[in-house]
mmCIF file with all atom_site columns, all heavy atoms in Angstrom:
data_model
loop_
_atom_site.group_PDB
_atom_site.id
_atom_site.type_symbol
_atom_site.label_atom_id
_atom_site.label_alt_id
_atom_site.label_comp_id
_atom_site.label_asym_id
_atom_site.label_entity_id
_atom_site.label_seq_id
_atom_site.pdbx_PDB_ins_code
_atom_site.Cartn_x
_atom_site.Cartn_y
_atom_site.Cartn_z
_atom_site.occupancy
_atom_site.B_iso_or_equiv
_atom_site.pdbx_formal_charge
_atom_site.auth_seq_id
_atom_site.auth_comp_id
_atom_site.auth_asym_id
_atom_site.auth_atom_id
_atom_site.pdbx_PDB_model_num
ATOM 1   N N   . TRP A 1 995  ? -17.767 1.560  34.442 1.00 31.00 ? 995  TRP A N   1
ATOM 2   C CA  . TRP A 1 995  ? -18.836 2.583  34.644 1.00 31.00 ? 995  TRP A CA  1
ATOM 3   C C   . TRP A 1 995  ? -19.771 2.219  35.765 1.00 31.00 ? 995  TRP A C   1
ATOM 4   O O   . TRP A 1 995  ? -20.235 3.066  36.488 1.00 31.00 ? 995  TRP A O   1
ATOM 5   C CB  . TRP A 1 995  ? -19.607 2.730  33.319 1.00 31.00 ? 995  TRP A CB  1
ATOM 6   C CG  . TRP A 1 995  ? -20.704 3.698  33.406 1.00 31.00 ? 995  TRP A CG  1
ATOM 7   C CD1 . TRP A 1 995  ? -20.578 5.001  33.683 1.00 31.00 ? 995  TRP A CD1 1
ATOM 8   C CD2 . TRP A 1 995  ? -22.071 3.453  33.184 1.00 31.00 ? 995  TRP A CD2 1
ATOM 9   N NE1 . TRP A 1 995  ? -21.814 5.588  33.661 1.00 31.00 ? 995  TRP A NE1 1
ATOM 10  C CE2 . TRP A 1 995  ? -22.740 4.658  33.344 1.00 31.00 ? 995  TRP A CE2 1
ATOM 11  C CE3 . TRP A 1 995  ? -22.802 2.330  32.848 1.00 31.00 ? 995  TRP A CE3 1
ATOM 12  C CZ2 . TRP A 1 995  ? -24.092 4.797  33.195 1.00 31.00 ? 995  TRP A CZ2 1
ATOM 13  C CZ3 . TRP A 1 995  ? -24.188 2.459  32.676 1.00 31.00 ? 995  TRP A CZ3 1
ATOM 14  C CH2 . TRP A 1 995  ? -24.796 3.666  32.858 1.00 31.00 ? 995  TRP A CH2 1
ATOM 15  N N   . ARG A 1 1019 ? -17.629 2.380  26.090 1.00 81.00 ? 1019 ARG A N   1
ATOM 16  C CA  . ARG A 1 1019 ? -18.925 3.058  26.316 1.00 81.00 ? 1019 ARG A CA  1
ATOM 17  C C   . ARG A 1 1019 ? -18.700 4.573  26.358 1.00 81.00 ? 1019 ARG A C   1
ATOM 18  O O   . ARG A 1 1019 ? -17.729 5.018  26.943 1.00 81.00 ? 1019 ARG A O   1
ATOM 19  C CB  . ARG A 1 1019 ? -19.606 2.584  27.593 1.00 81.00 ? 1019 ARG A CB  1
ATOM 20  C CG  . ARG A 1 1019 ? -20.076 1.140  27.538 1.00 81.00 ? 1019 ARG A CG  1
ATOM 21  C CD  . ARG A 1 1019 ? -20.792 0.791  28.806 1.00 81.00 ? 1019 ARG A CD  1
ATOM 22  N NE  . ARG A 1 1019 ? -21.292 -0.592 28.778 1.00 81.00 ? 1019 ARG A NE  1
ATOM 23  C CZ  . ARG A 1 1019 ? -21.973 -1.158 29.777 1.00 81.00 ? 1019 ARG A CZ  1
ATOM 24  N NH1 . ARG A 1 1019 ? -22.245 -0.443 30.870 1.00 81.00 ? 1019 ARG A NH1 1
ATOM 25  N NH2 . ARG A 1 1019 ? -22.379 -2.410 29.688 1.00 81.00 ? 1019 ARG A NH2 1
ATOM 26  N N   . ASP A 1 1040 ? -27.621 9.862  25.424 1.00 83.00 ? 1040 ASP A N   1
ATOM 27  C CA  . ASP A 1 1040 ? -27.684 8.410  25.359 1.00 83.00 ? 1040 ASP A CA  1
ATOM 28  C C   . ASP A 1 1040 ? -26.322 7.798  25.649 1.00 83.00 ? 1040 ASP A C   1
ATOM 29  O O   . ASP A 1 1040 ? -25.271 8.409  25.443 1.00 83.00 ? 1040 ASP A O   1
ATOM 30  C CB  . ASP A 1 1040 ? -28.145 7.974  23.970 1.00 83.00 ? 1040 ASP A CB  1
ATOM 31  C CG  . ASP A 1 1040 ? -29.638 8.246  23.775 1.00 83.00 ? 1040 ASP A CG  1
ATOM 32  O OD1 . ASP A 1 1040 ? -30.288 8.649  24.751 1.00 83.00 ? 1040 ASP A OD1 1
ATOM 33  O OD2 . ASP A 1 1040 ? -30.147 8.065  22.640 1.00 83.00 ? 1040 ASP A OD2 1
ATOM 34  N N   . ILE A 1 1041 ? -26.340 6.548  26.106 1.00 85.00 ? 1041 ILE A N   1
ATOM 35  C CA  . ILE A 1 1041 ? -25.108 5.777  26.362 1.00 85.00 ? 1041 ILE A CA  1
ATOM 36  C C   . ILE A 1 1041 ? -24.946 4.805  25.185 1.00 85.00 ? 1041 ILE A C   1
ATOM 37  O O   . ILE A 1 1041 ? -25.836 3.957  24.937 1.00 85.00 ? 1041 ILE A O   1
ATOM 38  C CB  . ILE A 1 1041 ? -25.185 5.021  27.666 1.00 85.00 ? 1041 ILE A CB  1
ATOM 39  C CG1 . ILE A 1 1041 ? -25.325 6.044  28.819 1.00 85.00 ? 1041 ILE A CG1 1
ATOM 40  C CG2 . ILE A 1 1041 ? -23.930 4.166  27.872 1.00 85.00 ? 1041 ILE A CG2 1
ATOM 41  C CD1 . ILE A 1 1041 ? -25.571 5.363  30.159 1.00 85.00 ? 1041 ILE A CD1 1
ATOM 42  N N   . ILE A 1 1042 ? -23.821 4.914  24.467 1.00 89.00 ? 1042 ILE A N   1
ATOM 43  C CA  . ILE A 1 1042 ? -23.583 4.062  23.308 1.00 89.00 ? 1042 ILE A CA  1
ATOM 44  C C   . ILE A 1 1042 ? -22.302 3.291  23.560 1.00 89.00 ? 1042 ILE A C   1
ATOM 45  O O   . ILE A 1 1042 ? -21.468 3.669  24.364 1.00 89.00 ? 1042 ILE A O   1
ATOM 46  C CB  . ILE A 1 1042 ? -23.470 4.875  22.000 1.00 89.00 ? 1042 ILE A CB  1
ATOM 47  C CG1 . ILE A 1 1042 ? -22.250 5.801  22.061 1.00 89.00 ? 1042 ILE A CG1 1
ATOM 48  C CG2 . ILE A 1 1042 ? -24.729 5.659  21.741 1.00 89.00 ? 1042 ILE A CG2 1
ATOM 49  C CD1 . ILE A 1 1042 ? -21.994 6.549  20.757 1.00 89.00 ? 1042 ILE A CD1 1
ATOM 50  N N   . GLN A 1 1043 ? -22.160 2.139  22.893 1.00 87.00 ? 1043 GLN A N   1
ATOM 51  C CA  . GLN A 1 1043 ? -20.987 1.322  22.980 1.00 87.00 ? 1043 GLN A CA  1
ATOM 52  C C   . GLN A 1 1043 ? -20.401 1.094  21.602 1.00 87.00 ? 1043 GLN A C   1
ATOM 53  O O   . GLN A 1 1043 ? -21.087 0.583  20.686 1.00 87.00 ? 1043 GLN A O   1
ATOM 54  C CB  . GLN A 1 1043 ? -21.310 -0.024 23.618 1.00 87.00 ? 1043 GLN A CB  1
ATOM 55  C CG  . GLN A 1 1043 ? -20.057 -0.890 23.813 1.00 87.00 ? 1043 GLN A CG  1
ATOM 56  C CD  . GLN A 1 1043 ? -20.371 -2.141 24.598 1.00 87.00 ? 1043 GLN A CD  1
ATOM 57  O OE1 . GLN A 1 1043 ? -21.515 -2.368 24.975 1.00 87.00 ? 1043 GLN A OE1 1
ATOM 58  N NE2 . GLN A 1 1043 ? -19.372 -2.951 24.856 1.00 87.00 ? 1043 GLN A NE2 1
ATOM 59  N N   . LYS A 1 1056 ? -23.714 0.234  19.306 1.00 88.00 ? 1056 LYS A N   1
ATOM 60  C CA  . LYS A 1 1056 ? -24.901 -0.255 20.023 1.00 88.00 ? 1056 LYS A CA  1
ATOM 61  C C   . LYS A 1 1056 ? -25.370 0.828  20.986 1.00 88.00 ? 1056 LYS A C   1
ATOM 62  O O   . LYS A 1 1056 ? -24.614 1.290  21.839 1.00 88.00 ? 1056 LYS A O   1
ATOM 63  C CB  . LYS A 1 1056 ? -24.534 -1.533 20.783 1.00 88.00 ? 1056 LYS A CB  1
ATOM 64  C CG  . LYS A 1 1056 ? -25.777 -2.096 21.550 1.00 88.00 ? 1056 LYS A CG  1
ATOM 65  C CD  . LYS A 1 1056 ? -25.395 -3.362 22.288 1.00 88.00 ? 1056 LYS A CD  1
ATOM 66  C CE  . LYS A 1 1056 ? -26.608 -3.954 23.027 1.00 88.00 ? 1056 LYS A CE  1
ATOM 67  N NZ  . LYS A 1 1056 ? -26.247 -5.175 23.762 1.00 88.00 ? 1056 LYS A NZ  1
ATOM 68  N N   . ASN A 1 1057 ? -26.625 1.287  20.778 1.00 87.00 ? 1057 ASN A N   1
ATOM 69  C CA  . ASN A 1 1057 ? -27.253 2.270  21.656 1.00 87.00 ? 1057 ASN A CA  1
ATOM 70  C C   . ASN A 1 1057 ? -27.855 1.547  22.858 1.00 87.00 ? 1057 ASN A C   1
ATOM 71  O O   . ASN A 1 1057 ? -28.906 0.931  22.737 1.00 87.00 ? 1057 ASN A O   1
ATOM 72  C CB  . ASN A 1 1057 ? -28.310 3.089  20.919 1.00 87.00 ? 1057 ASN A CB  1
ATOM 73  C CG  . ASN A 1 1057 ? -28.764 4.265  21.744 1.00 87.00 ? 1057 ASN A CG  1
ATOM 74  O OD1 . ASN A 1 1057 ? -28.675 4.282  22.973 1.00 87.00 ? 1057 ASN A OD1 1
ATOM 75  N ND2 . ASN A 1 1057 ? -29.279 5.285  21.068 1.00 87.00 ? 1057 ASN A ND2 1
ATOM 76  N N   . ILE A 1 1058 ? -27.115 1.573  23.968 1.00 84.00 ? 1058 ILE A N   1
ATOM 77  C CA  . ILE A 1 1058 ? -27.552 0.817  25.161 1.00 84.00 ? 1058 ILE A CA  1
ATOM 78  C C   . ILE A 1 1058 ? -28.834 1.428  25.731 1.00 84.00 ? 1058 ILE A C   1
ATOM 79  O O   . ILE A 1 1058 ? -29.723 0.731  26.240 1.00 84.00 ? 1058 ILE A O   1
ATOM 80  C CB  . ILE A 1 1058 ? -26.443 0.799  26.194 1.00 84.00 ? 1058 ILE A CB  1
ATOM 81  C CG1 . ILE A 1 1058 ? -25.206 0.083  25.611 1.00 84.00 ? 1058 ILE A CG1 1
ATOM 82  C CG2 . ILE A 1 1058 ? -26.878 0.098  27.489 1.00 84.00 ? 1058 ILE A CG2 1
ATOM 83  C CD1 . ILE A 1 1058 ? -23.995 0.083  26.518 1.00 84.00 ? 1058 ILE A CD1 1
ATOM 84  N N   . SER A 1 1059 ? -28.947 2.768  25.673 1.00 78.00 ? 1059 SER A N   1
ATOM 85  C CA  . SER A 1 1059 ? -30.120 3.428  26.259 1.00 78.00 ? 1059 SER A CA  1
ATOM 86  C C   . SER A 1 1059 ? -31.400 3.042  25.513 1.00 78.00 ? 1059 SER A C   1
ATOM 87  O O   . SER A 1 1059 ? -32.462 2.944  26.127 1.00 78.00 ? 1059 SER A O   1
ATOM 88  C CB  . SER A 1 1059 ? -29.928 4.933  26.238 1.00 78.00 ? 1059 SER A CB  1
ATOM 89  O OG  . SER A 1 1059 ? -28.790 5.306  26.950 1.00 78.00 ? 1059 SER A OG  1
ATOM 90  N N   . ARG A 1 1060 ? -31.332 2.806  24.173 1.00 80.00 ? 1060 ARG A N   1
ATOM 91  C CA  . ARG A 1 1060 ? -32.531 2.527  23.407 1.00 80.00 ? 1060 ARG A CA  1
ATOM 92  C C   . ARG A 1 1060 ? -32.551 1.098  22.850 1.00 80.00 ? 1060 ARG A C   1
ATOM 93  O O   . ARG A 1 1060 ? -33.421 0.730  22.090 1.00 80.00 ? 1060 ARG A O   1
ATOM 94  C CB  . ARG A 1 1060 ? -32.617 3.511  22.234 1.00 80.00 ? 1060 ARG A CB  1
ATOM 95  C CG  . ARG A 1 1060 ? -32.636 4.959  22.701 1.00 80.00 ? 1060 ARG A CG  1
ATOM 96  C CD  . ARG A 1 1060 ? -32.768 5.933  21.549 1.00 80.00 ? 1060 ARG A CD  1
ATOM 97  N NE  . ARG A 1 1060 ? -32.666 7.289  22.053 1.00 80.00 ? 1060 ARG A NE  1
ATOM 98  C CZ  . ARG A 1 1060 ? -33.715 7.993  22.502 1.00 80.00 ? 1060 ARG A CZ  1
ATOM 99  N NH1 . ARG A 1 1060 ? -34.897 7.420  22.547 1.00 80.00 ? 1060 ARG A NH1 1
ATOM 100 N NH2 . ARG A 1 1060 ? -33.571 9.239  22.964 1.00 80.00 ? 1060 ARG A NH2 1
ATOM 101 N N   . ARG A 1 1061 ? -31.507 0.272  23.234 1.00 78.00 ? 1061 ARG A N   1
ATOM 102 C CA  . ARG A 1 1061 ? -31.436 -1.105 22.830 1.00 78.00 ? 1061 ARG A CA  1
ATOM 103 C C   . ARG A 1 1061 ? -31.515 -1.267 21.305 1.00 78.00 ? 1061 ARG A C   1
ATOM 104 O O   . ARG A 1 1061 ? -32.319 -2.036 20.774 1.00 78.00 ? 1061 ARG A O   1
ATOM 105 C CB  . ARG A 1 1061 ? -32.558 -1.908 23.509 1.00 78.00 ? 1061 ARG A CB  1
ATOM 106 C CG  . ARG A 1 1061 ? -32.469 -1.906 25.040 1.00 78.00 ? 1061 ARG A CG  1
ATOM 107 C CD  . ARG A 1 1061 ? -33.526 -2.749 25.657 1.00 78.00 ? 1061 ARG A CD  1
ATOM 108 N NE  . ARG A 1 1061 ? -33.377 -2.764 27.112 1.00 78.00 ? 1061 ARG A NE  1
ATOM 109 C CZ  . ARG A 1 1061 ? -34.195 -3.444 27.946 1.00 78.00 ? 1061 ARG A CZ  1
ATOM 110 N NH1 . ARG A 1 1061 ? -35.192 -4.155 27.427 1.00 78.00 ? 1061 ARG A NH1 1
ATOM 111 N NH2 . ARG A 1 1061 ? -34.000 -3.401 29.253 1.00 78.00 ? 1061 ARG A NH2 1
ATOM 112 N N   . GLN A 1 1062 ? -30.722 -0.469 20.606 1.00 84.00 ? 1062 GLN A N   1
ATOM 113 C CA  . GLN A 1 1062 ? -30.649 -0.530 19.128 1.00 84.00 ? 1062 GLN A CA  1
ATOM 114 C C   . GLN A 1 1062 ? -29.184 -0.707 18.740 1.00 84.00 ? 1062 GLN A C   1
ATOM 115 O O   . GLN A 1 1062 ? -28.270 -0.395 19.488 1.00 84.00 ? 1062 GLN A O   1
ATOM 116 C CB  . GLN A 1 1062 ? -31.240 0.729  18.517 1.00 84.00 ? 1062 GLN A CB  1
ATOM 117 C CG  . GLN A 1 1062 ? -32.734 0.907  18.796 1.00 84.00 ? 1062 GLN A CG  1
ATOM 118 C CD  . GLN A 1 1062 ? -33.267 2.185  18.187 1.00 84.00 ? 1062 GLN A CD  1
ATOM 119 O OE1 . GLN A 1 1062 ? -32.536 2.898  17.505 1.00 84.00 ? 1062 GLN A OE1 1
ATOM 120 N NE2 . GLN A 1 1062 ? -34.539 2.492  18.442 1.00 84.00 ? 1062 GLN A NE2 1
#
Side-chain angles (χ1 to χ4, degrees):
W995 179 60
R1019 291 184 180 180
D1040 287 354
I1041 299 173
I1042 65 174
Q1043 182 173 2
K1056 182 178 181 181
N1057 191 336
I1058 298 177
S1059 300
R1060 303 181 184 274
R1061 298 183 179 180
Q1062 298 178 2

